Amino acid sequence: MPGALPVDGAAPRLLAEHDSTRIVGMVTAREETDEGMLFTAEIARTTEGNDIVELLKMGAYDSVSIGIEPVDVEQDGSTTVVKAARWKELSIVAEPAFQAARITEIAATAAEPDEPETNQPEEETETMTEENAAVEAAAETVPTAPIVYAQPKRHFDMPSASEYLAAYHVGGETFEKVNTAFVEAARSKQTAMQAAAGDVITTDTPGLLPEPIVAPVFADFNYVRPVVNAVGARAMPDGGNSKTFIRPTWTTHTSIDAQSSELAAVAAQTPVIASNVVSKSTLAGQVTLSVQDIDFTSPAALQIILQDLANEYLDKSDDVAADAIVAGASASGSTWTVTANDPTSLIQALYDA
């Protein structure tokens, strides 16, 4: 809902694909508008940060997805409506949950004066053709598009092994050009050269293959309490050291009616207030974790399991409330009938339950 996300306080971290081990920057500005929450983020100059920037420029990454900790929610049918939340992170993703969550602009910052620029090709002085000028002008008219610099087409000889591997590391258009030159040169010389000297597949390098964990843990059902939320929850009475407490309810109310005449008897009804005994019960669960499981796991197992215990409590407490209402409805013996424009019997049956 509008206003659910904070625009001040601790800045959300910028992640890649909701992976808490892949922090690539920070959200630096937030602004809520009628169209939604706008943001500005800064990407760190790390290896992965530079990779993310390149992927953003070519359009491989073009969306974001939010990671929140709900504080106040309500159910609207099968939809969970977030009324307030803590903004934990914002992730750069390839497929967003909401199609409108798109990155509209990326701006690169120049290197600091005292930072040497490494791995930069020497600048070539070329005469710009009309075709090159048209490409550059088109890029200026679409500021949200990936930045593309027009370059004169160069003739490639057969690349060396180091040039081929360096281009493979850069990837994208650079590798495409080098690989094309390699194929063309190989054909012209009618050789059967290959970039790799031997067949190496994943079964040959099992020690180099990581097993990523995609966080968070997938939740297979929604932890909500529709019955408790509809009826309302109240705290236990103060100062009670017993296992039970009394919740009084009306059985028979007093009566009021018009007096028939002066000095005539008025309406009289003996009030009856029932003494309902409520027995306290405990809902709990137990898990034993080793110190190693707490220290070594990533994401941390302790927080995940504690959250699951809290979620299971929500589910179980709502189940207890629903069972109590069903039992009350059966014990009351009340029934209701469908009458057009008259919900009286239904409301009475609900109160009886």
Side-chain angles (χ1 to χ4, degrees):
M1 293 181 65
L5 297 178
V7 294
D8 53 11
R13 293 178 176 85
L14 189 67
L15 306 183
E17 298 289 353
H18 292 299
D19 187 344
S20 59
T21 65
R22 300 174 62 193
I23 301 176
V24 297
M26 294 291 291
V27 175
T28 56
R30 291 163 281 174
E31 178 185 357
E32 185 168 11
T33 68
D34 293 339
E35 290 74 26
M37 180 67 72
L38 305 183
F39 76 95
T40 302
E42 182 176 351
I43 299 177
R45 290 182 179 176
T46 61
T47 299
E48 181 159 22
N50 293 335
D51 292 343
I52 291 289
V53 170
E54 292 302 317
L55 292 171
L56 285 166
K57 288 166 64 177
M58 71 170 54
Y61 274 141
D62 62 356
S63 309
V64 290
S65 179
I66 196 169
I68 63 173
E69 180 182 334
V71 174
D72 186 10
V73 299
E74 65 180 20
Q75 282 302 119
D76 183 6
S78 61
T79 302
T80 300
V81 180
V82 180
K83 301 168 67 176
R86 297 184 181 91
W87 191 342
K88 308 297 289 186
E89 53 94 354
L90 186 71
S91 283
I92 300 173
V93 296
E95 290 295 332
F98 302 97
Q99 292 303 313
R102 299 291 180 179
I103 297 171
T104 59
E105 183 176 356
I106 174 171
T109 58
E112 296 296 332
D114 57 348
E115 290 185 1
E117 295 188 7
T118 59
N119 299 326
Q120 298 293 326
E122 295 183 0
E123 181 178 355
E124 296 185 5
T125 303
E126 297 285 348
T127 302
M128 179 174 288
T129 64
E130 293 181 1
E131 179 182 359
N132 293 339
V135 172
E136 186 168 313
E140 292 177 354
T141 60
V142 188
T144 59
I147 300 174
V148 179
Y149 296 99
Q151 296 288 344
K153 186 174 182 179
R154 296 175 53 191
H155 172 72
F156 284 92
D157 294 323
M158 173 69 78
S160 66
S162 60
E163 289 174 334
Y164 189 90
L165 292 175
Y168 179 83
H169 176 71
V170 174
E173 185 180 4
T174 300
F175 177 67
E176 182 181 357
K177 289 182 178 180
V178 173
N179 190 54
T180 301
F182 171 81
V183 174
E184 291 177 353
R187 288 174 178 172
S188 65
K189 295 179 180 179
Q190 296 182 347
T191 63
M193 296 177 60
Q194 294 183 352
D199 294 332
V200 180
I201 60 177
T202 55
T203 55
D204 299 316
T205 56
L208 302 180
L209 296 174
E211 294 185 1
I213 299 175
V214 181
V217 178
F218 175 73
D220 55 354
F221 66 96
N222 201 8
Y223 299 103
V224 294
R225 297 200 298 180
V227 175
V228 173
N229 290 342
V231 177
R234 298 182 61 178
M236 287 284 187
D238 295 333
N241 296 322
S242 65
K243 294 183 178 180
T244 61
F245 61 89
I246 302 299
R247 182 72 169 101
T249 57
W250 282 101
T251 300
T252 305
H253 288 274
T254 58
S255 64
I256 296 292
D257 204 348
Q259 188 181 26
S260 60
S261 62
E262 295 182 20
L263 300 180
V266 297
Q269 178 67 52
T270 302
V272 178
I273 299 176
S275 177
N276 297 288
V277 178
V278 180
S279 298
K280 299 177 182 178
S281 64
T282 301
L283 301 179
Q286 177 176 303
V287 176
T288 302
L289 278 76
S290 67
V291 174
Q292 291 84 353
D293 197 55
I294 296 174
D295 291 344
F296 298 166
T297 51
S298 179
L302 177 60
Q303 180 59 39
I304 292 173
I305 293 174
L306 285 175
Q307 185 62 51
D308 190 64
L309 283 169
N311 291 339
E312 289 295 332
Y313 164 77
L314 293 177
D315 184 65
K316 185 60 181 177
S317 59
D318 203 63
D319 187 42
V320 170
D323 288 346
I325 290 178
V326 171
S330 300
S332 72
S334 180
T335 59
W336 63 283
T337 57
V338 178
T339 304
N341 302 320
D342 182 11
T344 306
S345 64
L346 172 59
I347 295 174
Q348 182 63 47
L350 290 175
Y351 273 91
D352 291 343

